[in-house]
Amino acid sequence: MKKYLLLSGMLLVCVFAYAQREQAEYLEAKRLFNNAQYSSAKAAFGALSQSEVFGRHASFYFGLCAFQ
């Protein structure tokens, strides 16, 4: 029983760490966009465009970067 509890706790930690990494990447891409570094921001948003959470926003900003 303790093994399952420990395993599910570790799984939750991994899921939260992954979500925070995506958020950090999104915020870095927005910082690049705001600093008019459009080619770098476009690459960063392109990598995030498949994300479930940030996919739509990343695709929008990817289009804005391409327009610039």
Side-chain angles (χ1 to χ4, degrees), residues 5-56:
L5 186 59
L6 180 64
L7 182 62
S8 42
M10 290 176 60
L11 182 63
L12 281 174
V13 168
C14 291
V15 167
F16 289 131
Y18 181 74
Q20 292 225 338
R21 183 187 61 82
E22 275 191 341
Q23 183 179 13
E25 288 178 15
Y26 178 74
L27 291 174
E28 175 63 18
K30 278 191 71 174
R31 185 190 66 78
L32 292 169
F33 179 80
N34 289 332
N35 290 335
Q37 298 174 348
Y38 299 116
S39 61
S40 298
K42 184 177 172 185
F45 285 124
L48 284 169
S49 64
Q50 299 301 317
S51 168
E52 284 187 31
V53 178
F54 297 106
R56 291 182 181 174

